[in-house]
Amino acid sequence: MVSYLLKNGAAALAILTVGAVPVAAQAIGPGIYTVVIPPNGFGSNAFLKELVSGLNAVRSFCGGLQDEAFQVDCLAERLDKISGEIPEGTDYEEVRTVLKQTADKVERLVRDNRDTSKARINMSLAQAPADKTLRPLTAVKMARQSEVNRQAAQILEEATTVLLRSAASAQERSNQYTKIASALGSNKVLLRS
C-alpha cells in the first residue's frame, strides 16, 4: 500500500512495478490518497470493505433526517459522494459508473418533484460533524412522496441488477460485486413509506 499526502493542489503521479506489470496512480488536489495494490486477483478486500461500509452508512446518515421529504435527495447525494471516492481506472470503474448513474437518476427524480415551499438544507451528523452533505438537499412534495420513493426504489433495483449481472459475467469479481449490490440494495429501506 502506498499513501501520498498532497498539499496546495499539487498533483502526484507514482509508478510502481508489481511483478512485471507497472501500476500507475494519479491524484490531484489536497488530501491524503491511498492506493491499494492487491497482491493478486481482482480488487482489494480493504477497499471493498470501505465501499460496502460507505453504502451501508447511507441508511443511517439519511435516516437521521427529521424531515423525510429530504431522504430521497440525501440518497442521491450520498451515492454521488461514494462514486466520486472510487478512483478512475481501477477494478471498480464499473461500480463507480453504476453508482454515479444511479445518483444522477435519483437526483433528476427529486428535481422533477421538488417542493419549492421548503428551503434546501445541508446535513451533518451530530456525532460526526465532518461527515456532511456536499451540496444542499432538496425536498420532495409531500403529495408525490410515495410515488417518488417507489421510483427511487426501482432505480436502486435496476442498479443492483446491473451489478449482479456483471458479477455473473466474471468469476473473479462475483463475490465483491454481490456484496456491493447487496449493500446498495439495502438502502431501499429508506424508501418505504
Side-chain angles (χ1 to χ4, degrees), residues 55-117:
L55 288 169
N56 286 329
V58 171
R59 269 190 324 276
S60 61
F61 185 88
C62 297
L65 283 163
Q66 292 181 353
D67 188 343
E68 291 181 9
F70 293 96
Q71 284 185 340
V72 177
D73 197 31
C74 181
L75 172 65
E77 187 276 338
R78 294 283 91 183
L79 293 178
D80 188 50
K81 178 181 183 290
I82 292 168
S83 73
E85 292 171 349
I86 300 172
E88 291 184 36
T90 66
D91 287 340
Y92 296 99
E93 183 69 30
E94 185 174 10
V95 173
R96 181 181 196 278
T97 300
V98 169
L99 292 178
K100 177 64 175 154
Q101 290 172 346
T102 302
D104 290 347
K105 287 177 185 177
V106 173
E107 185 177 0
R108 198 167 330 135
L109 176 64
V110 169
R111 206 173 34 244
D112 292 345
N113 293 281
R114 71 180 168 266
D115 185 344
T116 55
S117 69

Side-chain angles (χ1 to χ4, degrees), residues 87-163:
E88 291 184 36
T90 66
D91 287 340
Y92 296 99
E93 183 69 30
E94 185 174 10
V95 173
R96 181 181 196 278
T97 300
V98 169
L99 292 178
K100 177 64 175 154
Q101 290 172 346
T102 302
D104 290 347
K105 287 177 185 177
V106 173
E107 185 177 0
R108 198 167 330 135
L109 176 64
V110 169
R111 206 173 34 244
D112 292 345
N113 293 281
R114 71 180 168 266
D115 185 344
T116 55
S117 69
K118 291 188 178 185
R120 296 178 75 199
I121 64 167
N122 286 303
M123 182 193 168
S124 63
L125 296 175
Q127 65 272 28
D131 191 10
K132 58 185 175 187
T133 55
L134 302 176
R135 63 171 174 77
L137 302 178
T138 301
V140 170
K141 292 177 192 171
M142 189 190 316
R144 298 282 304 145
Q145 189 71 53
S146 287
E147 180 59 20
V148 168
N149 284 1
R150 187 192 67 71
Q151 289 179 28
Q154 181 61 38
I155 292 168
L156 283 181
E157 186 65 34
E158 290 168 7
T160 58
T161 299
V162 168
L163 291 171

Side-chain angles (χ1 to χ4, degrees), residues 1-6 12 14 16 25 27 31-37:
M1 180 174 359
V2 179
S3 294
Y4 298 93
L5 177 60
L6 305 174
L16 293 86
I32 297 176
Y33 293 84
T34 303
V35 179
V36 179
I37 303 169

